[in-house]
Amino acid sequence: MTHQFHNEQTNALFRLVYDESVLDRTFYGRDHKDKLLTIAWNRGEDQKITIDNVAYNFPANTIHCLMVSESFQFERAADITAWQFSRDFYCIVDHDKEVSCVGFIFYGPPQKMFIQLNEADQKKADMILQMLQDEFNTYDHIQGEMMQVLLKRLIIIVTRLAKNQFINEKELSGEKLDIVRKYNFLVETHYRTQHQVSFYADQLNKSPKTLSNLFALYNHKSPLLIIQDRIIMEAKRLIFYTEKSAKEISYDLGFEDAGTFGKFFKRHTGLATSEFKKTSASAS
């Protein structure tokens, strides 16, 4: 079942999907026009989720949040309940930090977070699901606002669970975590043109050394590696999902020439771009 709310004036889009045999997303393809964030809840047994051609285990009764640009598919889509929404629908609250579209569950830890729900958490998520189902059958001028309120409630629940499960708040205070979140968001926004930590440090009014010390507390990735990993991730997507040449991709990602990009890609992946494309095609 797929319910959809679309405000033609603001272009705000919100979908609730469940009990569907097919639920996937191809960002570099048919879904490119719909910039949707996704909160996916696996209500069945453990299954495989494939994100950008990489397979992960999606444990039972966990939630995983997917970025706009991630292509994905599920082993058993019928077991997935998904909330999908555009920035125009929800992100009027960007200033709300942790529970906004630039919040922790989308721009937090670099690892894939599969957020566990206990029985009480499942009941809360179920209640929100039922209330949204009712709202899709209620047609009035505040329908969209009610859906925004319910979605925000869900995001607050998921954010709290994620922080409890993935963050040691004794080592990383809320203020420090906010810097990490802002840094990740800035990288997501500017990685195509800005490849140096100094740019992001200036934007945050911090020194590169301060950022390095902070990220050493947070995870094993340096600020520079976060930029480089994001560039490599996008390069892999463009190689696998599009027919762009290495020269076109190098231009898209802010490199001076294809040769510089090719050396960068091989240094970080161990493969030439042509080798990666062949390997990815044979594995898919």
Side-chain angles (χ1 to χ4, degrees):
M1 179 71 69
T2 299
H3 300 286
Q4 180 164 299
F5 170 86
H6 182 219
N7 185 321
E8 293 184 357
Q9 291 183 325
T10 65
N11 205 32
L13 181 62
F14 176 52
R15 289 180 189 154
L16 175 62
V17 186
Y18 55 92
D19 296 334
E20 289 282 4
S21 60
V22 177
L23 172 59
D24 58 11
R25 182 166 177 76
T26 305
F27 180 72
Y28 286 104
R30 68 171 193 270
D31 302 314
H32 192 73
K33 67 181 185 303
D34 295 330
K35 307 295 194 296
L36 300 179
L37 293 155
T38 299
I39 299 175
W41 177 15
N42 180 16
R43 307 186 72 182
E45 298 178 352
D46 290 14
Q47 65 168 291
K48 180 174 71 174
I49 177 175
T50 303
I51 305 171
D52 291 329
N53 204 37
V54 178
Y56 302 87
N57 182 48
F58 195 168
N61 288 317
T62 65
I63 281 178
H64 183 62
C65 301
L66 293 143
M67 297 285 288
V68 167
S69 56
E70 289 180 306
S71 296
F72 59 82
Q73 62 186 64
F74 301 98
E75 182 181 3
R76 293 188 307 279
D79 290 341
I80 302 296
T81 293
W83 295 266
Q84 297 185 297
F85 52 97
S86 65
R87 289 181 61 86
D88 295 311
F89 176 76
Y90 179 74
C91 295
I92 55 171
V93 290
D94 273 356
H95 59 279
D96 274 2
K97 296 183 180 179
E98 292 181 357
V99 297
S100 71
C101 278
V102 297
F104 173 72
I105 57 175
F106 294 106
Y107 294 95
Q111 76 268 34
K112 298 295 182 187
M113 293 193 299
F114 294 95
I115 303 158
Q116 297 176 353
L117 277 67
N118 62 28
E119 187 174 345
D121 300 325
Q122 292 174 48
K123 288 180 180 179
K124 292 176 185 177
D126 260 325
M127 184 180 298
I128 292 172
L129 174 60
Q130 292 170 18
M131 293 175 73
L132 279 169
Q133 288 170 332
D134 290 340
E135 281 303 319
F136 275 106
N137 293 316
T138 304
Y139 303 98
D140 57 30
H141 67 285
I142 61 170
Q143 183 188 35
E145 293 177 28
M146 285 296 295
M147 291 177 180
Q148 287 173 342
V149 168
L150 291 168
L151 178 60
K152 183 172 182 178
R153 185 174 177 183
L154 174 70
I155 290 174
I156 289 172
I157 291 170
V158 175
T159 299
R160 286 173 175 168
L161 291 172
K163 288 183 68 177
N164 287 336
Q165 293 172 28
F166 291 92
I167 293 296
N168 184 342
E169 293 197 65
K170 290 182 180 179
E171 294 183 357
L172 202 64
S173 66
E175 181 182 353
K176 291 178 179 177
L177 183 61
D178 195 43
I179 294 172
V180 170
R181 180 188 61 78
K182 288 178 178 178
Y183 182 86
N184 288 335
F185 176 67
L186 285 169
V187 170
E188 183 66 24
T189 306
H190 299 288
Y191 70 91
R192 290 177 181 270
T193 57
Q194 301 295 336
H195 297 178
Q196 301 301 317
V197 175
S198 56
F199 168 82
Y200 302 97
D202 287 345
Q203 296 296 306
L204 295 169
N205 294 316
K206 304 292 180 184
S207 70
K209 181 65 174 176
T210 298
L211 291 179
S212 294
N213 292 337
L214 175 58
F215 276 87
L217 279 177
Y218 182 55
N219 57 51
H220 297 297
K221 283 188 178 183
S222 68
L224 179 59
L225 187 56
I226 288 172
I227 300 168
Q228 293 172 340
D229 281 355
R230 185 62 186 90
I231 295 169
I232 288 295
M233 180 191 298
E234 196 66 16
K236 287 179 177 179
R237 288 172 177 168
L238 291 168
I239 293 167
F240 182 75
Y241 292 112
T242 75
E243 296 301 320
K244 288 188 175 184
S245 67
K247 183 177 180 180
E248 290 172 313
I249 293 172
S250 67
Y251 177 78
D252 286 348
L253 296 178
F255 288 86
E256 293 181 359
D257 53 65
T260 304
F261 166 68
K263 291 176 182 177
F264 174 86
F265 188 87
K266 188 165 186 178
R267 184 168 70 249
H268 286 272
T269 66
L271 296 171
T273 55
S274 57
E275 293 171 327
F276 175 79
K277 191 173 186 69
K278 291 178 182 177
T279 303
S280 299
S282 62
S284 62

